Amino acid sequence: FRQLFPNAKFNAAVETNVVVFRNESSFRPFKPKRADGKADRGIAGYFQPGEDLNYITLSTEGEKEDTYEIIFHEYVHFLLNTNFGRSTVPPWFNEGLAEYYQTFKVRDEKNVVLGEIQNN
């Protein structure tokens, strides 16, 4: 990320709390709601910016790799919001870059893989 955005700030004036739920059922009451008022079951995690505090939320239920993907994905939303503001970044770019970085994997001590095709 630093190579693509060398002037990016990685510290924000607003703190970010990461809330990790032990399973899907404990996470469900805190998920964003659909138009019908029910929790969106398709959400594995999300970034919620705020004036005083930001949140990244996710559940650890599922595969370990999925948990890391969610963290990387939501962290990119945080970085974009911190550096460019939520309203100035087009949603397609914000979500697309987060999807790209969620595939980040360390292959060995010196090599990483980024941008793999996703199955979902």
Side-chain angles (χ1 to χ4, degrees), residues 86-105:
R86 188 175 186 184
S87 63
T88 61
V89 177
W92 62 265
F93 180 77
N94 194 328
E95 197 58 36
L97 197 62
E99 290 281 327
Y100 178 75
Y101 274 96
Q102 87 179 28
T103 66
F104 177 85
K105 291 186 179 43

Side-chain angles (χ1 to χ4, degrees), residues 71-84:
I71 292 169
F72 297 145
H73 181 105
E74 300 308 329
Y75 185 65
V76 169
H77 290 311
F78 159 75
L79 290 174
L80 289 173
N81 189 58
T82 298
N83 286 280
F84 305 106

Side-chain angles (χ1 to χ4, degrees), residues 35-86:
D36 64 4
K38 294 182 181 177
D40 191 338
R41 292 183 177 248
I43 301 290
Y46 64 93
F47 174 72
Q48 178 64 48
E51 291 181 22
D52 299 325
L53 189 64
N54 297 322
Y55 288 97
I56 294 176
T57 65
L58 64 132
S59 169
T60 59
E61 188 170 35
E63 299 295 321
K64 183 171 120 177
E65 293 78 22
D66 294 340
T67 301
Y68 285 119
E69 288 178 3
I70 295 166
I71 292 169
F72 297 145
H73 181 105
E74 300 308 329
Y75 185 65
V76 169
H77 290 311
F78 159 75
L79 290 174
L80 289 173
N81 189 58
T82 298
N83 286 280
F84 305 106
R86 188 175 186 184

